[in-house]
Amino acid sequence: MVPPPLNRRQLLDASDLAGCAIVIGLKDAAGSRPALARLRFVRLLKRPLRRPWFFFWPRVDVRLRASERGNTPVLGPWSDQGAYPLGETVLTHLRWNAETGYYETVSWNAVWAAGPPPSAFKKALAATLRFLSPVDPGAAKSTDRIAPSATERQAILEGAEVVGVAKVLSVERETPWRPLMATLEFLKIDKGDLGEDEDGPRKIVEVRLRMTRPDGAPMSLWSDQGLYRTGETVMAHLNWDEGGRSFLQTSCANGVWPVDPR
């Protein structure tokens, strides 16, 4: 059984080294499966204390997990074979294994594709365009998505644990291409509850967005990338994660659509 996915904070907490890296080499094992991936980091989110890197972007070797050797499972129920395509840039979370002397991927959802870091010119150009643009590029367009039919809504409602109207306060991104977490402020709750905080009933929650693998294949059967846009008011149907009430996720592929807040 595949372990539950880790959220962004859990991934960082479990990592010794995390950041964006270019895959500069793959070393095959005897069975023709890649055994090691060599990475050159170009951006660090977390660095190990055991090795100071001051002047050069670090190069590290990652020991890849194989899901099977022949027909016999050997290293666990998940594999990161194919997660490090040669020449691609990935965002990865790694831990140090003192027994093997290599880094290893923290979790099955700890590595995904990332665009190469923008140049200083592109950063300056993007900042200028944001300053000059009168419209937030993430603003909602009411014609982008259409609400499900009444029959579909009833089925979606029955399958969700938390249902209500919420405003999207922000969409946090580890890279410009892959949103990771959407922060919602519930204006109205039609089903379920969000628990309590210091000020009473909880209204602001984070929704962990479903990811895709580096090769483009979904980690689940569907993804909600793009369904939450900053400043948009949505009808959201959510479920708590399998482990309890750690975080919320969209309940189904068509479980979110824009609504008029008035």
Side-chain angles (χ1 to χ4, degrees):
M1 180 177 179
V2 177
L6 302 180
N7 61 35
R8 185 181 62 165
R9 175 51 53 191
Q10 291 171 328
L11 287 173
L12 282 176
D13 289 344
S15 301
D16 296 313
L17 173 62
C20 292
I22 300 173
V23 184
I24 60 175
L26 290 173
K27 181 179 179 180
D28 290 342
S32 76
R33 290 176 177 269
L36 296 175
R38 172 156 290 185
L39 310 181
R40 177 168 61 84
F41 277 81
V42 294
R43 179 190 173 207
L44 292 175
L45 299 177
K46 185 177 182 180
R47 64 172 61 199
L49 298 177
R50 66 181 193 86
R51 285 184 60 187
W53 289 310
F54 296 110
F55 303 106
F56 302 99
W57 293 115
R59 296 187 179 190
V60 302
D61 289 331
V62 180
R63 182 172 177 264
L64 302 183
R65 296 170 62 103
S67 59
E68 60 181 22
R69 182 178 298 153
N71 293 322
T72 305
V74 288
L75 290 177
W78 60 272
S79 170
D80 54 3
Q81 296 287 329
Y84 298 94
L86 185 62
E88 297 294 325
T89 301
V90 297
L91 177 59
T92 186
H93 301 73
L94 307 172
R95 69 163 61 96
W96 177 254
N97 188 327
E99 294 182 1
T100 63
Y102 293 106
Y103 282 98
E104 294 179 350
T105 309
V106 167
S107 171
W108 62 266
N109 69 321
V111 54
W112 55 88
S119 64
F121 172 76
K122 289 184 177 180
K123 288 182 179 179
L125 179 61
T128 302
L129 292 176
R130 286 195 299 269
F131 176 77
L132 296 176
S133 175
V135 180
D136 178 4
K141 296 180 181 178
S142 59
T143 57
D144 283 352
R145 286 169 283 141
I146 301 176
S149 66
T151 303
E152 291 173 324
R153 290 193 198 191
Q154 183 60 34
I156 295 171
L157 177 65
E158 292 175 357
E161 296 176 279
V162 176
V163 178
V165 176
K167 183 176 181 180
V168 183
L169 300 182
S170 65
V171 179
E172 297 183 28
R173 300 168 182 266
E174 201 65 60
T175 73
W177 299 268
R178 293 296 172 92
L180 298 181
M181 200 79 67
T183 302
L184 308 184
E185 179 182 10
F186 271 84
L187 309 176
K188 175 186 174 186
I189 297 179
D190 298 325
K191 179 181 178 181
D193 71 272
L194 303 174
E196 301 280 334
D197 56 25
E198 296 178 355
D199 301 321
R202 190 179 177 194
K203 293 184 178 180
I204 297 178
V205 297
E206 286 187 328
V207 178
R208 190 184 67 81
L209 304 184
R210 293 174 179 264
M211 296 299 203
T212 55
R213 296 204 312 258
D215 59 7
M219 287 183 174
S220 59
L221 296 178
W222 56 273
S223 172
D224 54 1
Q225 297 286 316
L227 295 185
Y228 299 93
R229 301 171 186 173
T230 302
E232 184 179 69
T233 301
V234 296
M235 173 62 74
H237 296 71
L238 309 171
N239 284 334
W240 294 102
D241 68 298
E242 295 179 1
R245 298 172 70 88
S246 300
F247 55 83
L248 286 161
Q249 282 189 286
T250 310
S251 63
C252 60
N254 57 344
V256 180
W257 60 86
V259 296
D260 189 340
R262 292 174 294 179

